[in-house]
């Protein structure tokens, strides 16, 4: 049996303030949203969206970069993507682009978990 490969998706805007340390700590210590994974689970992917509409007018479904990223997930046999809490805007609603990317992941048979670590 192959070990499970998972990944983490975060918002590009979060790069301004986020080191991904909380996500990685939760994975490495198998806490919070990673608590049920066996020790041999591989964190194979760290990825971001490709940015807000203001800077990247293409919708995710037409964004060649996002499509290439999703193809790579399939090549790497990633089965689950955890979405970082940074997907939430100040009003605590999920970013529309992240929602679309999550739908695209699910359409490709990749399970989406919204969460990595507790705030």
């Amino acid at each position: 049996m192959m070990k499970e490969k998972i990944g983490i998706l975060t918002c590009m805007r979060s790069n301004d303030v986020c080191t991904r340390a909380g996500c990685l700590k939760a994975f490495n210590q198998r806490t919070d949203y990673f608590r049920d994974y066996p020790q041999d689970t591989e964190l194979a992917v760290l990825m971001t969206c490709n940015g807000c509409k203001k800077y990247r007018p293409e919708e995710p479904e037409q964004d060649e970069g996002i499509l290439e990223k999703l193809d790579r997930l399939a090549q790497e046999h990633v089965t689950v993507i955890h979405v970082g809490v940074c997907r939430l805007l100040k009003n605590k609603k999920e970013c529309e682009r992240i929602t679309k990317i999550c739908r695209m992941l699910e359409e490709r048979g990749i399970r989406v978990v919204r969460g990595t670590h507790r705030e």
Side-chain angles (χ1 to χ4, degrees):
M1 185 176 178
M2 282 182 21
K3 64 183 168 185
E4 186 163 27
K5 288 183 164 187
I6 68 171
I8 296 174
L9 167 65
T10 58
C11 168
M12 184 178 276
R13 283 181 25 198
S14 71
N15 286 338
D16 292 347
V17 296
C18 181
T19 64
R20 313 304 185 258
C23 295
L24 293 171
K25 181 177 181 180
F27 173 76
N28 288 329
Q29 295 180 359
R30 297 301 190 275
T31 60
D32 300 328
Y33 292 89
F34 300 107
R35 69 183 167 279
D36 295 328
Y37 289 101
Q39 283 301 313
D40 69 346
T41 302
E42 181 180 336
L43 179 57
V45 175
L46 288 172
M47 63 181 276
T48 66
C49 69
N50 282 355
C52 301
K53 191 172 203 148
K54 179 178 177 181
Y55 305 104
R56 185 90 172 205
E58 305 91 350
E59 290 297 324
E61 300 88 346
Q62 289 79 42
D63 184 331
E64 289 184 24
I66 288 294
L67 296 172
E68 185 174 324
K69 288 178 184 183
L70 298 182
D71 288 345
R72 183 62 190 260
L73 295 176
Q75 290 170 359
E76 293 296 322
H77 305 288
V78 171
T79 58
V80 182
I81 291 288
H82 283 257
V83 186
V85 70
C86 61
R87 76 186 188 280
L88 301 176
L89 301 174
K90 288 182 182 175
N91 61 7
K92 298 294 183 190
K93 289 189 177 181
E94 186 169 83
C95 165
E96 190 177 299
R97 292 206 163 195
I98 293 287
T99 301
K100 287 180 181 182
I101 293 168
C102 289
R103 190 173 332 116
M104 294 167 70
L105 289 162
E106 290 169 336
E107 288 168 357
R108 287 163 172 77
I110 298 172
R111 187 167 63 93
V112 173
V113 176
R114 284 172 166 86
T116 56
H117 61 91
R118 305 281 180 221
E119 289 185 74

